[in-house]
Amino acid sequence: MRPASDRAGVVVVDCAALQSPTSRGRGIGRYALEWATALEAVAPELVGAYLLDPALPPPGEADELLASGKVAYRGVDPLPDRVRVWHSLSPLDLAVGLETIWPAEAARRDLWRSATVYDLIPAKDPTTHLADPVDRHRYRIRLEVLRGADQLHAISAGVGADLQAALRLPP
């Protein structure tokens, strides 16, 4: 393993889940906040910035994360120089813009892409969860963005198996 100083600030984390009207303060938003604060407690040197979406309202109960001094706004505050990885905590949230999940700046800088996936319920039952054809199309685009990621993190073995099946990925 490389020394911590070599890894310092190599990851930026998309934290729009803390702001999203579909997850703010509950579910994925709560998980994202707990994940980020736990990461700060265990390995604070890994993350260079936790990015919020300037188009969404500010997060609610995020005082502990705000105290890290690493919270910034995507597209407003510059990304740290050492960043090598872009990690999305809400890649399938249709209330969050695609530019938030994979911004042009991350593509220009050729950052590695990673994401945390919580479930694929809409993909497994699209007639119920994606009845609107526009939403169904937007969700499929999100799945393709995930297929192109360098690494995916599933919150359970079941979600991992669903990802493998839906995206035809290796384990």
Side-chain angles (χ1 to χ4, degrees):
M1 180 181 239
R2 292 186 294 168
S5 61
D6 288 349
R7 297 175 299 171
V10 298
V11 179
V12 290
V13 180
D14 154 36
C15 285
L18 305 179
Q19 304 170 273
S20 171
T22 60
S23 64
R24 180 187 171 112
R26 60 185 181 76
I28 291 171
R30 173 60 58 193
Y31 180 92
L33 179 60
E34 296 297 329
W35 181 92
T37 54
L39 184 57
E40 276 302 300
V42 174
E45 74 279 359
L46 290 179
V47 176
Y50 296 97
L51 299 180
L52 299 175
D53 186 333
L56 295 173
E61 305 167 17
D63 292 345
E64 191 174 346
L65 188 59
L66 291 170
S68 73
K70 297 178 184 177
V71 176
Y73 280 94
R74 178 190 51 77
V76 175
D77 300 306
L79 293 179
D81 290 337
R82 293 187 56 116
V83 168
R84 299 293 173 260
V85 178
W86 179 273
H87 185 77
S88 177
L89 288 173
S90 54
L92 295 173
D93 185 346
L94 296 180
V96 174
L98 194 56
E99 174 67 14
T100 296
I101 295 166
W102 186 233
E105 182 178 3
R108 275 193 307 277
R109 290 180 63 171
D110 197 27
L111 301 182
W112 287 27
R113 293 184 293 157
S114 70
T116 298
V117 180
Y118 308 92
D119 66 55
L120 291 176
I121 292 169
K124 293 171 83 172
D125 186 8
T127 56
T128 301
H129 299 284
L130 298 168
D132 180 344
V134 173
D135 284 346
R136 188 175 301 160
H137 178 72
R138 291 176 61 223
Y139 191 85
R140 286 184 187 140
I141 290 170
R142 302 295 173 109
L143 290 175
E144 290 305 314
V145 169
L146 287 179
R147 184 189 316 276
D150 296 293
Q151 189 172 56
L152 297 174
H153 304 259
I155 65 165
S156 70
V159 173
D162 290 345
L163 270 171
Q164 286 178 265
L167 301 180
R168 296 177 297 283
L169 298 172

